[in-house]
Amino acid sequence: MIAAVAVTLVLATSSNKQPGADDKEPATFTLKGTLYVAQCTSSGYGDLLPGAQVEVKDQSGEVLGVGTVQISDAVANRRSGEVLDPNAVCTRMFSVANVPTGRKMYGVHIGNNNRGVIWKPEAEAKQGFELSIGS
């Protein structure tokens, strides 16, 4: 009887899993988005090129995570020698991993300080951002 109690106690304390842990939302998520840049060969959008920093902030302005704009198909095609229409819209992707949950608002800022922050509540932020610039 004592051995059975000792075995049960060891098994119960060796697990890191809390009861009902599968039912809880994760403490972080990956914020994803798409950035559409009109006339992507224009020099006016140099701060939005692949590699540009993406900041995710909460309603108080605290930076929750940082990522980068990823290379687009259009830029990849131009590098391989394909001629790019100067009026083409470039599609660029971004993601920021390990963004904490539980904030009221999430803002995304890309590019220089003249560019604004686009805000969404948590449920919408988890669905992703779709941003565009230019005409």
Side-chain angles (χ1 to χ4, degrees):
M1 172 96 169
I2 293 175
V5 171
V7 170
T8 303
L9 191 57
V10 169
L11 290 175
T13 58
S14 66
S15 174
N16 291 330
K17 194 174 182 181
Q18 298 294 322
D22 290 337
D23 301 334
K24 294 182 181 179
E25 259 187 64
T28 63
F29 68 101
T30 298
L31 186 144
K32 296 181 180 186
T34 305
L35 172 63
Y36 300 100
V37 181
Q39 300 175 343
C40 61
T41 60
S42 170
S43 61
Y45 303 125
D47 60 319
L48 303 175
L49 293 173
Q53 182 171 294
V54 178
E55 286 184 336
V56 178
K57 302 178 180 190
D58 69 7
Q59 66 277 3
S60 71
E62 178 185 350
V63 176
L64 304 175
V66 177
T68 57
V69 173
Q70 301 301 309
I71 194 164
S72 67
D73 290 341
V75 173
N77 289 342
R78 186 174 59 205
R79 285 186 179 169
S80 67
E82 183 179 310
V83 176
L84 183 64
D85 178 353
N87 296 315
V89 174
C90 284
T91 303
R92 300 185 177 139
M93 311 302 280
F94 61 89
S95 65
V96 179
N98 301 315
V99 176
T101 60
R103 308 298 164 86
K104 289 181 182 180
M105 298 294 290
Y106 291 81
V108 169
H109 177 261
I110 304 173
N112 65 38
N113 289 333
N114 295 327
R115 311 255 186 239
V117 177
I118 306 300
W119 296 96
K120 288 187 173 190
E122 181 174 11
E124 291 179 27
K126 287 180 176 180
Q127 294 174 14
F129 279 74
E130 193 168 291
L131 312 173
S132 63
I133 189 166
S135 50

